[in-house]
Structures are given as structure tokens and as C-alpha cells.
Amino acid sequence: MKKITNMKDMMLQQIRSLYDADRTIYESLPTLKEKAFSQDLKEFIDEEMEEKLRQQHRMEIIFTILKEDTEGQIDDVMRCMAKSQKKLTNQCTGSELSDTMMIITGRAMATHQINGYQTAVTCAVSVGYPDITRLLRRALREEKGIEKKLGLLEEMHLHSESLVKV
């Protein structure tokens, strides 16, 4: 494992971690879509798959600009969150409840990504990479959009769950 000795190293570590996290999320989405009950969640998953591909491509552009490879950092937190999402969703009895669990855990994952992108932007600004900063800010805006959509889905699904008699 390479030592982090300066802000550029920190930025690279963060970008590699984000890249790994986006790939982890992308790889989990087809299974989630198969298990999704509601059409609104299935449509959201389709949109998120497209978004994750765009974010991965954007990160690959950043690596090209920096003349660095994409490998070298695993986002253990995101991998753990994806594993937990799968486990918790499988524990739910009932499709609507399973959908709600997917949404809630997906929102936590989006929040993790937002924090990571904010850190990467701060590092890129500090190091003086305006093109990379612009690309990271675009990804951050899109990740915030994902989190916002998940928040709306969460409200809709929690409201419909509350209508079900316990």
C-alpha cells in the first residue's frame, strides 16, 4: 500500500476509493432491480445504473489527465454497505418492505459517496487541478441528485408502509 505523503496522494486515494465504490454500487444494481417490487424503484435503479457508468467514465478521464491507473484503492466501507444492503433486503418479508429497505440503505450509500466526492473536490482545489475539480463537482451534483431522489422514494414508500396495518 502506497503511503500518503501529500495532498495529491490524498486526492488520488480518494478518487480511487470513489471509483471502486461506484463500481461496487453498479455491480449490485442488477440484482436489486430483479428483487425490486415497485415500478418507481425499478426505474430509479435503471437511472442509477446509467449514472454510475457516467461517473466511472468521468473518473477514468481524471485518471487519464493525471496519468495514473484506476487500481490501488478498495472502498471497504462501500463494499460492506452493499453486502449489508443485500443481507437486510433479503431479511425483509414482503416486497414493499424489501423495496423500502433497498431505498433506505441506498440512501446511506449515496451519503457516503457525497462525503467522498466533497473530500475529493477539496483535495483537487487544494492541489490546483481546475479541470479535475470541475469533473468532481459534476459528479458531486449528480450524487446529490441520486440522494434527493432516494429521499423522495423513501418518503413515498414509508408513507405507503405506514398505511399497512401492523
Side-chain angles (χ1 to χ4, degrees), residues 5-20:
T5 60
N6 56 49
M7 192 60 75
K8 182 179 178 186
D9 291 346
M10 188 179 297
M11 179 186 72
L12 280 168
Q13 179 275 335
Q14 190 64 39
I15 292 170
R16 284 187 177 117
S17 181
L18 287 162
Y19 183 73
D20 182 70

Side-chain angles (χ1 to χ4, degrees), residues 46-83:
D46 283 337
E47 291 173 22
E48 188 174 10
M49 286 180 72
E50 291 174 20
E51 181 60 42
K52 290 302 166 195
L53 284 176
R54 280 193 301 273
Q55 287 179 344
Q56 289 174 53
H57 178 69
R58 192 175 295 121
M59 296 304 238
E60 289 164 359
I61 291 169
I62 291 171
F63 289 120
T64 299
I65 292 168
L66 294 170
K67 296 180 174 91
E68 295 281 346
D69 62 0
T70 60
E71 301 303 315
Q73 184 64 38
I74 294 175
D75 189 321
D76 292 323
V77 172
M78 186 56 73
R79 288 182 184 208
C80 183
M81 291 174 88
K83 186 177 178 181

Side-chain angles (χ1 to χ4, degrees), residues 44 103 106-107 110 145-155:
F44 170 80
I103 293 165
R107 194 166 182 201
I146 288 171
E147 195 275 336
K148 184 175 182 179
K149 287 178 189 175
L150 282 166
L152 294 172
L153 283 172
E154 183 179 329
E155 285 181 28

Side-chain angles (χ1 to χ4, degrees), residues 1-39:
M1 182 178 296
K2 186 180 176 190
K3 299 271 186 200
I4 298 172
T5 60
N6 56 49
M7 192 60 75
K8 182 179 178 186
D9 291 346
M10 188 179 297
M11 179 186 72
L12 280 168
Q13 179 275 335
Q14 190 64 39
I15 292 170
R16 284 187 177 117
S17 181
L18 287 162
Y19 183 73
D20 182 70
D22 281 333
R23 287 188 344 199
T24 299
I25 294 168
Y26 181 79
E27 290 167 5
S28 72
L29 290 172
T31 303
L32 293 176
K33 184 179 177 187
E34 286 177 16
K35 293 180 179 184
F37 177 74
S38 65
Q39 189 60 36

Side-chain angles (χ1 to χ4, degrees), residues 78-128:
M78 186 56 73
R79 288 182 184 208
C80 183
M81 291 174 88
K83 186 177 178 181
S84 291
Q85 181 182 49
K86 182 179 178 181
K87 180 180 174 184
L88 289 167
T89 300
N90 287 337
Q91 287 178 329
C92 292
T93 57
S95 300
E96 294 87 358
L97 191 58
S98 177
D99 280 4
T100 302
M101 185 60 76
M102 281 185 223
I103 293 165
I104 291 169
T105 55
R107 194 166 182 201
M109 294 163 81
T111 300
H112 174 71
Q113 286 295 89
I114 288 168
N115 291 334
Y117 277 110
Q118 287 173 329
T119 299
V121 166
T122 300
C123 291
V125 168
S126 172
V127 176

